[in-house]
Amino acid sequence: MAGHSKWANIQHRKGRQDAARSKLFSKLSKEITVAAKMGDPDPDKNPRLRLAVKEAKSQSVPKDVIDRAIKKSQAGEGDDYEEIRYEGYGPNGVAVIVEAMTDNRNRTASTVRSTFSKNGGNLGETGSVGFMFDRKGEVTYLAEVGDADTVMMAAIEAGAEDVESSEDGHVIWCADTDLNDVSTALEAELGESESTKLVWRPTTTTEMDLEGMQKLMKLIDALEDDDDVQRVTSNFDASDEVMDQL
C-alpha cells in the first residue's frame, strides 16, 4: 500500500488526542470555508465544497461546525487565504509534499523551511519532487462493504482507474477531475465512503528502515502541527515489520 495510506493507518492506530483532533477540525473547517468562498455555498452545486464536507463528516466533525464554516465564507472570512504547495526532501532523501493554506505567505514559508531543516530534511524548489507523484482522487471503504471482486466491479462501473483491496479495506483511485462523479456513483452502489479526497499518489517510492521512519514521522508530525499546513504527503515505503514497530 502506498506511503500515505500506511501513514493514515499509523495515525489511526496512534489514536487522536483531543488537541490533535481539535487541530484537525480546524484544518477541515478552513478547507470548507475556502471551498464555499470559491464557489457556491450549497455543497450540491459546488463539487469542491461537497468533497470538503464529506471529508469533514468522515472525521466526525459535528454538523454545526460544518455549517458554521460555510457561514464564515459568506461573512467574508477566508478572503485572504491562498493555497501554496511546498516540496522538499526528508530523511534518507524521501520526497515530501506539503499543502498549505495561509493568509501570510512569508510566515508559512519560513516555518516550513525551518521545520524541514530542524528535522533532517531540506526544502526544495517547486517541482523538485512533484514529478514523483500523480494528482489523483482517492475513495476509501471499510473491508466489510464487500469482497475485492464486488468493489472492483463497482469501481469499474463508476469510472475509476484502479483498486487496492486488503484486510484494512479498499482504496479506489480515479483521475483527479473525476473524483466527484466517481465518488457519487460509488456511494449509490456501496454506500457512504470512509474518506473521499484529492491526494498526491507516489509513482516511485523510497524504502525506509525503522530509524528512517522514526525520523520521517517526527518531520511529518512537526509539519502537520503547523496551523497553516493542511496536508503532508510522502513517497516512503516500509515493510510491515518496520510499520509494526512504530
Side-chain angles (χ1 to χ4, degrees), residues 177-227:
T177 49
D178 294 343
L179 181 56
N180 191 49
D181 292 343
V182 169
S183 65
T184 303
L186 285 169
E187 212 168 279
E189 197 63 35
L190 301 173
E192 191 79 26
S193 66
E194 268 290 281
S195 168
T196 300
K197 58 192 173 191
L198 286 168
V199 299
W200 294 98
R201 186 186 191 188
T203 53
T204 172
T205 56
T206 298
E207 186 67 31
M208 304 290 276
D209 59 13
L210 180 59
E211 187 186 352
M213 273 308 299
Q214 287 169 334
K215 287 178 181 170
L216 178 62
M217 282 179 72
K218 204 169 161 218
L219 169 62
I220 294 181
D221 278 339
L223 286 166
E224 288 185 336
D225 207 38
D226 183 349
D227 290 337

Side-chain angles (χ1 to χ4, degrees), residues 51 135-138 161 174-180 198-199:
L51 291 172
R135 190 65 163 158
K136 292 290 178 189
E138 180 199 72
E161 295 177 346
C174 65
D176 56 345
T177 49
D178 294 343
L179 181 56
N180 191 49
L198 286 168
V199 299

Side-chain angles (χ1 to χ4, degrees), residues 2-224:
H4 66 275
S5 301
K6 283 187 172 177
W7 181 256
N9 288 345
I10 299 174
Q11 298 288 69
H12 186 68
R13 278 210 307 271
K14 284 194 333 191
R16 290 257 175 205
Q17 295 144 342
D18 288 345
R21 180 160 285 283
S22 151
K23 202 173 273 286
L24 177 68
F25 281 12
S26 167
K27 289 176 195 279
L28 292 166
S29 296
K30 190 193 282 187
E31 167 62 23
I32 289 169
T33 300
V34 170
K37 189 82 203 166
M38 289 171 68
D40 195 289
D42 179 354
D44 290 334
K45 298 176 186 166
N46 181 338
R48 176 169 172 174
L49 177 58
R50 181 174 175 273
L51 291 172
V53 168
K54 196 176 172 63
E55 184 61 17
K57 284 180 176 171
S58 78
Q59 296 292 342
S60 309
V61 176
K63 186 175 184 304
D64 63 312
V65 174
I66 293 172
D67 291 342
R68 200 157 55 239
I70 293 174
K71 284 199 182 84
K72 275 185 183 176
S73 73
Q74 306 313 293
E77 289 194 41
D79 288 4
D80 305 329
Y81 288 124
E82 60 177 321
E83 294 174 278
I84 308 171
R85 186 172 86 239
Y86 299 98
E87 301 178 22
Y89 291 94
N92 295 12
V94 67
V96 180
I97 290 181
V98 180
E99 293 171 89
M101 206 178 270
T102 180
D103 55 1
N104 185 327
R105 181 188 276 260
N106 291 338
R107 176 192 67 219
T108 308
S110 167
T111 307
V112 169
R113 185 180 301 282
S114 129
T115 304
F116 267 96
S117 60
K118 281 180 190 165
N119 292 280
N122 59 289
L123 194 58
E125 298 294 317
T126 301
S128 58
V129 304
F131 66 92
M132 298 186 222
F133 298 82
D134 285 333
R135 190 65 163 158
K136 292 290 178 189
E138 180 199 72
V139 186
T140 60
Y141 277 93
L142 294 173
E144 46 263 38
V145 299
D147 60 27
D149 288 343
T150 305
V151 174
M152 177 66 83
M153 288 309 296
I156 291 168
E157 287 290 317
E161 295 177 346
D162 192 14
V163 181
E164 292 173 2
S165 292
S166 71
E167 60 189 25
D168 294 328
H170 309 279
V171 183
I172 299 156
W173 301 97
C174 65
D176 56 345
T177 49
D178 294 343
L179 181 56
N180 191 49
D181 292 343
V182 169
S183 65
T184 303
L186 285 169
E187 212 168 279
E189 197 63 35
L190 301 173
E192 191 79 26
S193 66
E194 268 290 281
S195 168
T196 300
K197 58 192 173 191
L198 286 168
V199 299
W200 294 98
R201 186 186 191 188
T203 53
T204 172
T205 56
T206 298
E207 186 67 31
M208 304 290 276
D209 59 13
L210 180 59
E211 187 186 352
M213 273 308 299
Q214 287 169 334
K215 287 178 181 170
L216 178 62
M217 282 179 72
K218 204 169 161 218
L219 169 62
I220 294 181
D221 278 339
L223 286 166
E224 288 185 336

